[in-house]
Amino acid sequence: MVMHAHAYPDIEIPTPSQIAAVALNNEPDENGEQSMVLSMGPQHPSTHGVLRLAVELNGENVVQLAPDVGFLHTGIEKTIETKTYTKSIVLTDRMDYLAPMSNNMVYVAAIEKLMQQDVPERAQTLRVLLLELTRINSHLVWLGTHALDLAAMSVFFYAMREREYILDIFEMLTGARMMTSYFRVGGLAWDIPADFIPTVEDFLTHFLPKVDEYEDLLTNNLLWKQRTKGVGVVNAADAIALGLSGANLRASGVDWDLRKTMPYSGYETYQFDVPVGQAGDIYDRYRCRVQEMRESVKIARQAIERVKQMHGQPYVTENRKVAPPPKSEITYSMESLIHHFKLWTEGFRPPRGSAYAAIESPRGEIGCYVVSDGTPKPWRVHFRAPSFINLQALPHIAKGKLMADLVALIASIDPVLGEVDR
Amino acid sequence: MIDRATLEQRVSAQFPTVRIGDESGDLCLTVERQQLPALAGWLRDEPDLAFTFLNQLCGVDYLGRDPRFEVVVHLTSFQNKMRVTLHIEVPEADPTIPTLARLFPTANFQERETYDMFGIIFTGHPGLERILMPEDWLGHPQRKDHPLGYEEVAFTHNEDWIYANKPFAKE
Amino acid sequence: MGLEEKAGDLGIVTTTLEGVVNWGRTKAMWPMLFGLACCAIEMMAGQASNYDMSRFGLELMRASPRQADLMIVAGRVSRKMAPVLRRLYDQMPEPKWVVAMGDCASCGGVYNNYAIVQGVDEIVPVDVYVAGCPPRPEALIDGILQLHEKIKRDKITDHADGKPIRIEQAERGALKPLG
Ligand code: SF4
């Protein structure tokens, strides 16, 4: 796909105060018509969290709107600077709380890139398995809430039912349902329990027919189609200019998935397809994501087969300067004890420098930029939050649409406010 | 598809003052701030380069170094499956830099965030306002000389003192 | 005693007015749909198929504070959100209760920094704190049941001159608006 200079779109994104200025100088025009400025949120059932939208309306039509974010700003990037590399993995979970493993992954991937640390194959395979489970988990919440916003309530209950299975798997693995903090630099935090693989297999067998069930409820549903087809169209050039990523980009017909195009964690060795839409409307985004769930099951199955072959291989690197030794070793080896002590009191020291790593999270390209000054604490960590950047497209997409479509649009972009505001 | 060596050659032919380096395996270009729009626009518009996707834009505060700030931009070329990093140094005395929001609309929010967090002013930006912090916030929180805002944690030995001073809300 | 024995078969129960009122309040609480962050997802899970909080009378999640009497602060409250939160609380009709769900709402949690309010009790009076990051839905349900216990101990005589104490205090000027 080649684009020429004149084709690159220039898109205006208003700010909330520019819209507020409209409200201040709001005089009726010669026909006596007057626009109305509406503040939607931050406490609103369909903004998926604490998002505020300043909307200028002409009757039912959106003239322009501006997202006002920051109501959940948590200072995660600054807090990470005060903790060691390992400790701050906990904080990354809580950005995109629907896909904690993806956040863990991108953070450790950036550090690994910086340190040129390699990861054992078994750990990589398990990571792929978990990332795909996370993708399913996140898409299920998206599907449930998206349908709920468009008044299809039962889908929500269906989706949350399957999500509980995944949460049970995560709980079995890490002890926590949502905030798993399971990835470490150089591998994983601990080994998988013995009955983990059979449980995941059970889940995948159980889950695949359920996707058809969701599709039965929505895909050919007349109401659903009327609310989503042809609504909120983004063309490919605009999508790229707005920095959309993930299913939002692919629904517009751009075949760009980091798992295929810039593979990490061994994704190049798996067989799977990347669903690409054409129309770039809400319906295509929906189709892409639902299809992605099926592809995730495919990848997870392949990963399981590999993990079964790799029994007994390490789950974390043997590099004792990065990963602590197993507890059993500490009892007889003085050196292990020193490593253990050093790692837990001080942490490891990556070399000076910086690195940017990006992976395909359920929402799009999540990236992490790490700057190290050679001390055990990062100098600066910045996350490219896909929700933050996808949300930026909302003013462009919603222009001229109906107010009721705005609700569908927000849900279809799938923002997670924790990640938007960090 | 072009490879990295070709890209380096083309950049140094077109922009001789750009310093070419490496950032953990990615090509890294350090540019003067006046040159940034020209370079970014050139990378975007050359048909064989086509770095049309701006991944991210963020600020870094190297307190104690001169120039103190740095703006880091990552661009991706879908066509070449390649990523480049642009580093732009920004001095503390005059923390301004030309905006990229006109070239890449996606830079809009990220520049606002960088302004909010570091106080770096993007000249020509269509609406440079705070985005994450409240409008009346003083200071730029991610600067290194801005305090973290840590509050003492209450444990049994100090909770009496802390709770006596904590502003509990009334009905 | 006497009446109950005589009326035993008529299906009449005698109790105190207080008991009836408090019982009624516990059985049909309308929580406000106030999801802030990660904890809100667990609150949603609590509403959904597996946990089904409506078993405990929390059937209706209201998006409007005017129709709610229980505010579940599910998540971290930033300094930018704090005034909004207080305003929503003020808009809720009496009687009202607050549950601080999760570590962030209770005490700031893992975020001890410039952006997060160190405990929502700096902004609104909290009745029950639920620990966990995020608390499991069971923990939230337990918190709600604790709140029920608390409500059952409420006294109508807490209200002076027929007015709830809070309103009376406000009229006396004992209550200052939060700066
Ligand atoms: S307590 Fe934990 S789960 Fe809840 S909002 Fe805070 S960080 Fe998120």
Side-chain angles (χ1 to χ4, degrees):
Chain A
M1 174 198 38
V2 181
M3 262 188 322
H4 300 291
H6 59 271
Y8 205 90
D10 183 18
I11 295 163
E12 288 287 326
I13 300 165
T15 65
S17 58
Q18 285 164 358
I19 302 231
V22 174
L24 284 181
N25 324 314
N26 203 354
E27 297 292 332
D29 64 7
E30 58 271 23
N31 302 331
E33 286 193 1
Q34 197 174 7
S35 67
M36 181 174 93
V37 174
L38 188 75
S39 170
M40 183 176 168
Q43 137 68 12
H44 189 278
S46 60
T47 51
H48 288 223
V50 282
L51 166 69
R52 179 176 161 257
L53 296 173
V55 195
E56 187 191 343
L57 289 170
N58 182 1
E60 278 239 48
N61 290 308
V62 176
V63 180
Q64 55 172 350
L65 72 88
D68 184 3
V69 298
F71 289 98
L72 199 55
H73 177 58
T74 319
I76 289 182
E77 288 173 5
K78 181 133 179 146
T79 312
I80 287 181
E81 289 168 13
T82 66
K83 297 189 188 300
T84 62
Y85 285 91
T86 309
K87 276 183 188 171
S88 35
I89 291 174
V90 176
L91 293 173
T92 60
D93 279 326
R94 287 153 175 80
M95 291 190 315
D96 179 355
Y97 35 77
L98 295 182
M101 300 264 194
S102 305
N103 303 356
N104 292 170
M105 176 67 200
V106 71
Y107 181 58
V108 298
I111 302 169
E112 281 158 7
K113 192 170 173 187
L114 183 66
M115 302 176 73
Q116 302 181 346
Q117 172 64 48
D118 32 76
V119 182
E121 210 187 332
R122 178 151 173 268
Q124 290 200 5
T125 317
L126 282 170
R127 278 181 181 183
V128 168
L129 174 59
L130 291 167
L131 287 173
E132 292 311 318
L133 285 180
T134 304
R135 191 179 314 276
I136 296 176
N137 171 4
S138 164
H139 281 351
L140 282 176
V141 178
W142 158 80
L143 183 69
T145 49
H146 189 11
L148 193 62
D149 282 346
L150 295 185
M153 190 145 189
S154 39
V155 184
F156 174 71
F157 291 114
Y158 278 56
M160 293 304 261
R161 182 187 62 190
E162 266 72 62
R163 181 173 178 264
E164 289 293 331
Y165 278 88
I166 303 184
L167 293 186
D168 285 348
I169 292 174
F170 285 172
E171 189 178 0
M172 164 186 197
L173 187 63
T174 68
R177 280 158 55 89
M178 276 169 69
M179 303 307 173
T180 46
S181 304
Y182 183 57
F183 292 8
R184 292 289 183 277
V185 177
L188 303 169
W190 47 78
D191 209 346
I192 50 172
D195 45 355
F196 174 72
I197 292 294
T199 319
V200 180
E201 270 182 327
D202 275 358
F203 165 73
L204 294 177
T205 324
H206 166 89
F207 176 69
L208 205 52
K210 302 289 180 200
V211 184
D212 300 333
E213 218 167 83
Y214 311 142
E215 285 226 75
D216 282 349
L217 285 168
L218 295 176
T219 306
N220 289 318
N221 182 333
L222 194 62
L223 284 175
W224 180 259
K225 276 174 148 175
Q226 281 174 348
R227 289 292 307 267
T228 57
K229 267 211 160 155
V231 178
V233 179
V234 197
N235 63 32
D238 286 359
I240 293 174
L242 284 163
L244 287 182
S245 50
N248 296 321
L249 180 64
R250 288 191 288 273
S252 302
V254 184
D255 187 1
W256 182 261
D257 186 322
L258 290 175
R259 293 176 293 173
K260 283 269 189 215
T261 52
M262 293 184 171
Y264 51 91
S265 209
Y267 264 111
E268 63 275 20
T269 57
Y270 294 84
Q271 306 296 323
F272 64 101
D273 300 320
V274 177
V276 178
Q278 289 161 350
D281 56 1
I282 299 181
Y283 190 70
D284 271 21
R285 277 172 231 149
Y286 155 76
R287 289 299 296 270
C288 278
R289 289 201 180 99
V290 170
Q291 192 55 33
E292 263 178 31
M293 290 204 258
R294 295 206 177 92
E295 298 297 328
S296 292
V297 173
K298 242 197 229 171
I299 302 174
R301 287 227 165 104
Q302 296 170 37
I304 285 182
E305 287 312 312
R306 292 185 196 185
V307 173
K308 280 186 187 161
Q309 310 293 322
M310 294 180 191
H311 192 70
Q313 290 183 22
Y315 59 90
V316 72
T317 170
E318 305 275 335
N319 183 354
R320 294 279 182 263
K321 299 273 182 262
V322 173
K327 281 270 162 61
S328 56
E329 224 178 277
I330 296 174
T331 49
Y332 59 81
S333 157
M334 189 61 205
E335 208 186 358
S336 293
L337 186 62
I338 295 172
H339 279 140
H340 177 89
F341 183 73
K342 277 283 261 188
L343 273 176
W344 293 130
T345 51
E346 189 191 316
F348 52 81
R349 295 164 174 266
R352 270 166 169 275
S354 53
Y356 177 78
I359 69 161
E360 188 75 23
S361 96
R363 260 151 279 284
E365 175 184 332
I366 183 168
C368 179
Y369 183 66
V370 180
V371 181
S372 158
D373 60 344
T375 59
K377 293 176 181 172
W379 180 260
R380 164 101 169 107
V381 177
H382 176 77
F383 288 96
R384 179 216 197 256
S387 309
F388 182 62
I389 292 160
N390 292 349
L391 194 61
Q392 194 172 215
L394 195 60
H396 178 66
I397 309 176
K399 215 173 226 171
K401 301 282 159 8
L402 291 176
M403 185 67 191
D405 291 339
L406 191 54
V407 173
L409 265 173
I410 299 171
S412 84
I413 288 177
D414 192 16
V416 168
L417 268 290
E419 188 185 54
V420 171
D421 298 341
R422 283 153 295 154
Chain B
M1 293 275 268
I2 56 164
D3 60 355
R4 188 170 152 174
T6 333
L7 178 61
E8 282 179 18
Q9 272 172 15
R10 296 214 37 194
V11 171
S12 50
Q14 191 79 16
F15 296 92
T17 53
V18 168
R19 274 177 284 150
I20 295 176
D22 178 272
E23 182 188 63
S24 302
D26 291 337
L27 178 65
C28 165
L29 309 174
T30 311
V31 272
E32 292 294 319
R33 37 188 177 151
Q34 301 81 8
Q35 262 193 335
L36 172 68
L39 176 68
W42 179 77
L43 285 171
R44 187 191 82 177
D45 292 336
E46 280 298 291
D48 59 335
L49 307 180
F51 283 89
T52 47
F53 189 78
L54 186 139
N55 295 61
Q56 66 106 15
L57 182 150
C58 73
V60 185
D61 177 3
Y62 292 99
L63 182 65
R65 190 191 83 171
D66 189 44
R68 175 172 166 187
F69 298 108
E70 193 168 276
V71 172
V72 181
V73 183
H74 286 87
L75 299 175
T76 297
S77 164
F78 286 176
Q79 196 176 310
N80 300 317
K81 297 196 174 149
M82 198 194 289
R83 200 180 279 141
V84 307
T85 315
L86 310 183
H87 284 219
I88 308 100
E89 290 169 343
V90 183
E92 187 180 3
D94 173 31
T96 56
I97 171 172
T99 181
L100 283 183
R102 299 270 174 214
L103 287 170
F104 297 92
T106 178
N108 191 314
F109 267 27
Q110 305 183 55
E111 287 183 352
R112 280 175 66 192
E113 187 195 336
T114 311
Y115 161 72
D116 193 355
M117 293 299 161
F118 292 95
I120 295 173
I121 294 160
F122 293 83
T123 46
H125 189 283
L128 197 63
E129 294 172 17
R130 285 193 183 274
I131 184 164
L132 294 181
M133 302 308 295
E135 277 158 34
D136 52 357
W137 189 267
L138 295 178
H140 300 284
Q142 281 183 8
R143 284 191 176 191
K144 286 278 175 184
D145 48 7
H146 189 284
L148 177 65
Y150 182 87
E151 282 178 24
E152 203 172 342
V153 181
F155 290 107
T156 334
H157 68 90
N158 58 2
E159 66 176 9
D160 291 343
W161 179 81
I162 287 181
Y163 287 156
N165 295 307
K166 192 168 162 152
F168 283 114
K170 306 280 166 8
E171 294 276 336
Chain C
M1 290 304 281
L3 180 63
E4 249 166 61
E5 269 163 26
K6 284 183 192 131
D9 291 343
L10 299 176
I12 297 175
V13 178
T14 57
T15 177
T16 55
L17 179 61
E18 218 164 63
V20 175
V21 168
N22 288 341
W23 175 81
R25 282 177 178 167
T26 57
K27 292 300 175 242
M29 287 191 129
W30 286 17
M32 192 163 82
L33 209 164
F34 192 51
L36 286 165
C38 351
C39 282
I41 307 293
E42 281 300 60
M43 187 167 75
M44 265 162 55
Q47 291 275 315
S49 350
N50 278 35
Y51 295 96
D52 191 14
M53 285 207 300
S54 39
R55 290 177 295 161
F56 303 94
L58 295 126
E59 188 90 44
L60 278 173
M61 288 291 229
R62 304 312 301 190
S64 161
R66 305 272 184 209
Q67 301 165 340
D69 56 2
L70 171 63
M71 180 189 248
I72 303 180
V73 184
R76 44 201 189 237
V77 180
S78 70
R79 305 243 179 241
K80 193 169 176 181
M81 193 64 194
V84 184
L85 185 114
R86 177 70 204 196
R87 186 153 173 185
L88 288 168
Y89 176 81
D90 288 341
Q91 286 176 344
M92 283 164 60
E94 296 277 352
K96 53 193 171 187
W97 298 276
V98 178
V99 172
M101 178 184 182
D103 294 351
C104 288
S106 305
C107 66
V110 285
Y111 307 108
N112 199 338
N113 62 21
Y114 64 95
I116 293 296
V117 176
Q118 299 298 304
V120 73
D121 47 11
E122 292 183 11
I123 313 166
V124 291
V126 177
D127 293 283
V128 175
Y129 299 86
V130 182
C133 182
R136 304 176 57 93
E138 289 101 323
L140 177 63
I141 291 171
D142 180 58
I144 306 268
L145 294 182
Q146 299 282 343
L147 180 66
H148 288 176
E149 291 305 313
K150 185 174 172 179
I151 293 171
K152 281 189 197 142
R153 291 198 304 270
D154 261 9
K155 289 266 180 294
I156 289 188
T157 44
D158 284 351
H159 300 227
D161 305 335
K163 281 181 196 162
I165 278 199
R166 306 164 196 202
I167 297 178
E168 195 241 5
Q169 270 179 345
E171 281 172 359
R172 277 195 284 114
L175 208 180
K176 288 205 189 67
L178 204 75

